[in-house]
Amino acid sequence: MAVSLYGLRYKIAAAAVLKAAARRGARLPGARGAVTAAAQMLQPEGEATGSYRGLAAGLLRDALRGETGGEALTYDAVAGLVPAAVTERPPQVETLRAAAERTGAAADLIALGAACRKSYIADFDASAEAYEQAFAANPKDLRAVEGTVVSGARSHFDWPRIWAVAGTLKPSRGPLAASATSATGATRDDSAAGAARPPGAEFWDAVDPLFGPAPDAAALHRAQEALSRHEKHIGSLHQLLIETIAERVQFLGAFGTGARLRGLMAQNRVQELRRIPLESALWLKHLLGAYAWLEQDRALRRTAARPPVDTSDPAVARQVEKLRADVALFGGDPEPLRVHAARRAEEAAAWGAALPAEQRMAELVAGRRVAVVGPAAGDQDLGELIDSYDVVVRTNLRRPLDPERSAQIGTRTDISYYAALDLIRGYDQIAQTVESGQVQLAVTRPHCLPAFEHPPSWLRFAPFEFGLHFRGAPLGIQRILYDLLQHGPAEIGLFHADFYAGEETLAPGYRDDALQFGPHSQANDPVVMHDLSFEFRFTQRLVRAGLVTPHGTAAEVLGLSAQQYLQRLEDRSPLSGSRHG
């Protein structure tokens, strides 16, 4: 039996109560063995994930966990890289594929899909196919739906195919019901002459064409009107259903509509998670992220100060401390983040698990003026100002800087940041660039660590990333700013960053396969994996707090209101000109 997430609020609260009770009970003499035995009895034979019994067994085992650590490092979805007894290794895709082919079980297919979509593997076609097969095996497993949407949008970009799965989440009851129900709850056949249309028929008649092969501007306009008319009811839809619509309208150039839908998702998430005990810090992260998206600062601070999670587990206490530091930074105070980063470095060193190149990063950044140069196209002569900084940071540097553009972009690079996918695909070229002395240090994301059994001395893995996201992850520029602020720079200047609001997507040669939306394009990621509206507003907060000083285009764009920025995306960004079905 696969796990359904309907009634999520009550399931999370029940899980939190079970876990807390087991943790308290395990302190009694002899009780620890009883809890272990109960977990072994609950765990289904041969099924690692995907059942209620399996989840209950996992909760009991988590409740027994004490202080963990070691000389290795592993990735924690909330805390980032943490000391561990065993080094995390990449998933064995072929082994997972063999298991999925042998059993055909949804849980095994989902495990395969999750492995293939990891950014250092990035086989999104295989991931999408595995998730679709998992959905066919068990249409009630929402992990299969989520994976189909994400991996499909990052690979084949076939929206009728994606909607065939995501559209099954349409409600059968309520004001946006897509099918009428009998008194017993069974779906009625409304095709018979004279049958009443369900209350949401008009809404879905307008929304469904967005997922046709090639929706035109008129179809988008009709859908936007329907979304506006029914806005008060949209928040009651399933989160995955709203997210799929939000992504689709943005891919059609309606960034303002997409942002409003994600705002409704944030409201929905707050309603689900507030005022209940939370089973893990991951749910706390979702709740805090929703408050941050809505910019409900008072609720954000209050929840961080008194988190509804059991912090008697040292791992959870570490996660909560990290999230509190993020909340403080969101409010303009970087000091808790610096303190937390220093404490984490000390913790890793105490276990003998010091992060690679961390000391070199501190030497380069602490107390120094840092220029962050983004990938936006631009002709402003900022090169001399950029070169005047103590340290120059760029993104995805794979080749020597173009000397003909030195007046605009400067002449040197000290640190270059790489997305995991860029690093893996361009590793040989990047290694040559760094080893030739053009860059002092390369930095990538923490979850990329398993891809490197023996990382080179010039490669650093950021210890952790900004966590106030109820969906998605930080964009590159925001990740860089957050990482730098952990090391106490004297100043951060921001150059050539337009947050996709310029007339060209990226500088020539930066990432030539990511200039517009479509199949297998990295340009899809800002919509699928990130949140342009939230990232823009978060960066503005850093500027208002005096932590970042933007120059040129970056200053002009960050001077816009959030509404003006979204309108700029629709009016001027090349992304909004894409019209792929």
Side-chain angles (χ1 to χ4, degrees):
M1 180 179 78
V3 176
S4 166
L5 295 182
Y6 289 106
L8 181 63
R9 177 178 176 84
Y10 304 104
K11 293 172 185 176
I12 292 173
V17 171
L18 171 64
K19 193 170 179 180
R23 191 167 185 83
R24 288 194 298 269
R27 297 169 185 165
L28 300 174
R32 191 174 185 87
V35 174
T36 301
Q40 292 173 341
M41 291 177 61
L42 282 169
Q43 182 67 49
E45 182 67 28
E47 185 178 344
T49 62
S51 72
Y52 286 114
R53 293 195 303 161
L55 288 177
L59 290 172
L60 293 176
R61 293 191 182 101
D62 284 347
L64 298 177
R65 182 177 61 189
E67 181 68 37
T68 59
E71 296 183 0
L73 290 166
T74 191
Y75 178 70
D76 178 295
V78 177
L81 295 175
V82 298
V86 180
T87 300
E88 182 181 358
R89 303 309 317 156
Q92 299 299 308
V93 173
E94 292 309 314
T95 301
L96 293 171
R97 181 173 285 113
E101 291 174 351
R102 183 177 67 253
T103 68
D108 290 323
L109 288 161
I110 286 169
L112 174 61
C116 290
R117 76 191 256 193
K118 286 185 178 294
S119 57
Y120 51 81
I121 296 175
D123 188 348
F124 299 120
D125 283 302
S127 178
E129 183 177 354
Y131 280 121
E132 288 172 343
Q133 291 174 355
F135 177 79
N138 193 334
K140 294 184 179 180
D141 196 318
L142 296 180
R143 297 170 300 176
V145 180
E146 185 270 344
T148 296
V149 175
V150 172
S151 293
R154 301 183 80 185
S155 59
H156 54 71
F157 209 67
D158 184 337
W159 287 96
R161 179 175 164 185
I162 292 170
W163 192 237
V165 174
T168 62
L169 296 178
K170 294 177 185 177
S172 59
R173 297 180 177 86
L176 296 182
S179 60
T181 55
S182 67
T184 62
T187 302
R188 285 205 311 259
D189 181 2
D190 291 322
S191 60
R197 298 190 78 205
E202 175 266 335
F203 175 78
W204 295 111
D205 284 349
V207 171
D208 284 339
L210 293 178
F211 298 90
D216 57 18
L220 176 61
H221 181 68
R222 286 192 297 272
Q224 288 177 292
E225 287 186 330
L227 291 165
S228 179
R229 284 197 305 273
H230 296 276
E231 184 168 318
K232 67 179 181 180
H233 300 304
I234 291 173
S236 65
L237 297 176
H238 194 281
Q239 289 261 318
L240 283 174
L241 191 60
I242 305 173
E243 172 59 21
T244 306
I245 300 170
E247 288 181 16
R248 186 56 176 145
V249 296
Q250 289 180 88
F251 282 127
L252 294 171
F255 292 95
T257 300
R260 286 193 295 275
L261 289 172
R262 283 181 171 164
L264 294 173
M265 290 174 62
Q267 294 175 18
N268 180 303
R269 183 51 52 92
V270 167
Q271 293 300 318
E272 284 179 336
L273 300 180
R274 69 176 181 175
R275 298 175 183 169
I276 62 169
L278 300 178
E279 176 269 324
S280 71
L282 186 59
W283 289 117
L284 176 64
K285 175 180 181 290
H286 287 304
L287 177 58
L288 295 175
Y291 279 134
W293 201 102
L294 297 168
E295 299 194 89
Q296 295 181 3
D297 289 46
R298 183 176 178 183
L300 179 64
R301 292 191 299 269
R302 182 176 63 244
T303 305
R306 301 182 64 182
V309 292
D310 180 5
T311 57
S312 62
D313 181 341
V316 176
R318 179 199 292 126
Q319 293 170 325
V320 169
E321 181 186 294
K322 190 265 181 190
L323 290 171
R324 282 174 172 158
D326 289 349
V327 169
L329 180 65
F330 192 73
D333 181 6
E335 189 58 27
L337 178 63
R338 294 170 188 162
V339 170
H340 179 73
R343 186 174 299 153
R344 292 282 296 279
E346 292 172 359
E347 177 191 21
W351 283 104
L355 293 164
E358 201 63 22
Q359 182 59 38
R360 181 59 180 145
M361 182 71 176
E363 293 170 356
L364 284 169
V365 175
R368 306 186 76 188
R369 298 174 64 247
V370 182
V372 176
V373 185
D379 57 2
Q380 297 165 315
D381 289 345
L382 298 170
E384 185 176 351
L385 179 58
I386 291 169
D387 283 343
S388 72
Y389 278 73
D390 301 321
V391 178
V392 178
V393 175
R394 301 185 193 272
T395 61
N396 194 29
L397 185 72
R398 293 173 295 162
R399 58 178 67 90
L401 295 174
D402 183 356
E404 294 185 2
R405 297 195 65 221
S406 61
Q408 290 83 43
I409 63 175
T411 61
R412 64 186 177 86
T413 305
D414 298 294
I415 303 171
S416 182
Y417 281 76
Y418 299 91
L421 189 57
D422 290 328
L423 179 64
I424 298 300
R425 290 179 175 176
Y427 181 81
D428 291 340
Q429 190 177 26
I430 292 167
Q432 183 179 0
T433 299
V434 179
E435 291 168 357
S436 67
Q438 297 173 54
V439 177
Q440 297 191 54
L441 189 63
V443 184
T444 191
R445 302 186 64 185
H447 64 256
C448 196
L449 180 63
F452 292 86
E453 187 173 359
H454 301 291
S457 60
W458 48 261
L459 180 60
R460 171 181 173 266
F461 299 87
F464 46 84
E465 297 178 340
F466 185 62
L468 300 188
H469 292 262
F470 82 98
R471 63 155 313 282
L475 283 162
I477 292 295
Q478 287 78 4
R479 286 202 302 268
I480 292 170
L481 298 176
Y482 178 80
D483 190 40
L484 293 171
L485 286 168
Q486 297 171 34
H487 296 276
E491 177 189 342
I492 297 178
L494 180 60
F495 303 83
H496 296 302
D498 63 11
F499 310 98
Y500 298 95
E503 295 183 357
E504 296 181 57
T505 309
L506 299 166
Y510 178 79
R511 193 183 277 159
D512 293 334
D513 62 345
L515 301 181
Q516 61 181 10
F517 297 142
H520 304 98
S521 172
Q522 281 187 261
N524 301 346
D525 282 2
V527 170
V528 182
M529 302 304 296
H530 308 289
D531 191 314
L532 293 172
S533 171
F534 178 74
E535 295 294 336
F536 174 78
R537 290 181 284 125
F538 171 54
T539 310
Q540 283 186 317
R541 281 175 169 254
L542 298 180
V543 172
R544 288 197 298 267
L547 302 176
V548 175
T549 303
H551 299 271
T553 299
E556 189 269 325
V557 173
L558 288 169
L560 301 173
S561 69
Q563 184 176 358
Q564 289 171 332
Y565 167 68
L566 293 170
Q567 190 62 52
R568 176 81 68 88
L569 289 177
E570 296 186 4
D571 293 343
R572 291 178 52 179
S573 173
L575 296 181
S576 66
S578 301
R579 291 294 184 269
H580 293 273

